[in-house]
Amino acid sequence: MTHRTEATSQTSARAQRAPSPPAADPRTLAEVQRAIIAWFADAARDLPWRRPGTTPWGVLVSEVMSQQTPMSRVAPRWSAWMAAWPEPADLAAASPAEVLLAWDSLGYPRRALRLQECARTVARDWGGELPRDEAALLALPGVGVYTAAAVASFAYGRRTAVLDVNVRRVLGRVFAGRAHPSAALSKAEARWAGALVPDRAHVEFNAGAMELGALVCTSRSPACERCPVAAHCAWLAAGRPADPAAQQKRAQAWEGTDRQLRGAIMRVLREAHASEAGSGAAGKGPAGSSDAPGGARTGVPEALLTAPTAQLDAEALDGLPDPVRAAVLRVRELGDGERVQRLAGDLVSDGLAVRGTAGELCLP
């Protein structure tokens, strides 16, 4: 539910040399486990993938979508996605353009294409059913350690430690008195956290610890007065000491970044594709996406995104549908032609866009 990027080998090596967290007192551990499970039973958010009948595939889709993305944005997109592609084979048969349109603005659109790669592997090698074994899940395209553990726990009820940053923060504060987890998960921490998972109701414990970190034991403004395990929290008992390393961290900038401009370019391509699809036959994807009649690609002349103002084809710009024109103007506002061209090339290299024979930029 929270994305963790791969650490460098140097960072991982440092993490593996870090000392193990302290062992938990058995009585305290049992009380914390019971409190988190009971709290989750009352406080769990009504997320669509938590409802009865959700398939393991639905759980996997929710985990991939939720990486670094608020649940309020994920929930409606997940519901539309599952209505269109309820099984891996359905997603495997979709066009990349449909997949990217359905992903919309969730961010990091490469995740959408990796999810489709995963669907193709599951359909081809696993008979359309996600494997139950955590190691086999980890071998699927786009599935990392956290996601494999989450599917094993939430979809198949396996006893395993599901360690996103929220869970690591809760466990670290309660049992080790640490304000924030280290950047990289060490083997020692993983073993330690695994020992904290109860033998019974372990799915509820994993989900509850994750929910507690997301809603109460937050990174910047923890609501300790509402925490069900406050009486047992080593960090609270120590006076909530600050983490000197965390104080030096800064939130990643967004305004003016290449990531923002890449997202704006992708919006142009989605709007262009959706406008063409809306004027023709309806597609089967969540957004009504469809390849253009005759197999022609739908896109926008790249020159409209990159040309200097003095050389801009104003007539071609005015001829675009309103949503496409607005998206093009936003790209021009955010970056100069050289930068836009460079990032468009990156999108093509990443498989998120293609260049047509007439100089247009399109969804794949």
Side-chain angles (χ1 to χ4, degrees):
M1 295 187 181
T2 302
H3 180 60
R4 291 173 295 147
T5 57
E6 293 294 331
T8 64
S9 58
Q10 184 177 7
T11 301
S12 297
R14 286 198 300 268
Q16 291 172 13
R17 291 195 299 269
S20 300
D25 173 72
R27 179 177 299 179
T28 299
L29 174 58
E31 292 178 356
V32 169
Q33 290 169 342
R34 286 193 294 268
I36 289 177
I37 292 167
W39 174 85
F40 181 69
D42 292 331
R45 288 171 289 182
D46 180 23
L47 300 174
W49 49 87
R50 288 178 175 168
R51 296 169 189 166
T54 299
T55 62
W57 170 246
V59 172
L60 174 63
V61 172
S62 75
E63 292 296 338
V64 174
M65 285 188 168
S66 300
Q67 295 169 2
Q68 296 187 352
T69 308
M71 295 298 104
S72 59
R73 293 179 58 204
V74 172
R77 191 58 54 192
W78 180 89
S79 296
W81 187 285
M82 293 305 298
W85 303 309
E87 300 294 340
D90 301 317
L91 181 61
S95 72
E98 287 177 320
V99 172
L100 291 171
L101 273 177
W103 194 260
D104 196 39
S105 59
L106 283 180
Y108 300 101
R110 275 292 298 166
R111 287 183 292 163
L113 298 185
R114 291 288 280 168
L115 187 55
Q116 187 176 40
E117 290 179 47
C118 177
R120 289 170 176 161
T121 299
V122 172
R124 183 187 66 241
D125 299 341
W126 293 92
E129 298 290 335
L130 284 179
R132 293 174 174 267
D133 181 72
E134 199 168 332
L137 287 165
L138 186 58
L140 295 174
V143 175
V145 173
Y146 162 76
T147 303
V151 173
S153 176
F154 302 139
Y156 292 124
R158 299 295 183 91
R159 183 186 178 276
T160 187
V162 183
L163 298 176
D164 77 343
V165 70
N166 287 320
V167 175
R168 294 178 63 211
R169 184 169 59 250
V170 168
L171 298 181
R173 285 176 176 174
V174 173
F175 294 110
R178 297 175 181 174
H180 298 282
S182 59
L185 175 67
S186 68
K187 291 181 179 179
E189 184 188 352
R191 288 193 299 269
W192 172 77
L196 302 178
V197 178
D199 292 330
R200 303 177 65 180
H202 42 78
V203 175
E204 292 81 0
F205 175 79
N206 283 332
M210 190 175 296
E211 195 84 333
L212 188 63
L215 301 181
V216 177
C217 190
T218 57
S219 178
R220 294 186 179 182
S221 302
C224 297
E225 69 281 359
R226 295 193 289 112
C227 181
V229 295
H232 307 289
C233 180
W235 181 65
L236 181 60
R240 299 184 13 164
D243 182 348
Q247 290 180 341
Q248 298 174 4
K249 297 178 181 178
R250 296 291 183 270
Q252 184 179 7
W254 167 254
E255 292 294 333
T257 62
D258 281 358
R259 185 182 162 210
Q260 182 190 25
L261 185 50
R262 278 171 59 104
I265 298 170
M266 287 299 299
R267 184 175 184 84
V268 170
L269 306 188
R270 290 196 306 269
E271 293 288 1
H273 195 98
S275 294
E276 179 65 24
S279 66
K284 72 174 186 177
S289 60
S290 171
D291 285 339
R297 295 191 182 278
T298 305
V300 170
E302 193 169 350
L304 292 181
L305 302 172
T306 60
T309 301
Q311 300 173 20
L312 181 64
D313 186 342
E315 184 175 350
L317 180 63
D318 290 342
L320 296 175
D322 289 346
V324 182
R325 182 170 62 253
V328 168
L329 291 174
R330 178 58 173 161
V331 169
R332 295 182 61 83
E333 175 187 344
L334 290 173
D336 59 55
E338 182 178 346
R339 185 174 170 217
V340 171
Q341 188 172 38
R342 172 175 60 82
L343 294 178
D346 290 345
L347 292 174
V348 171
S349 298
D350 288 343
L352 298 170
V354 295
R355 288 189 167 106
T357 57
E360 70 275 18
L361 198 64
C362 325
L363 288 180

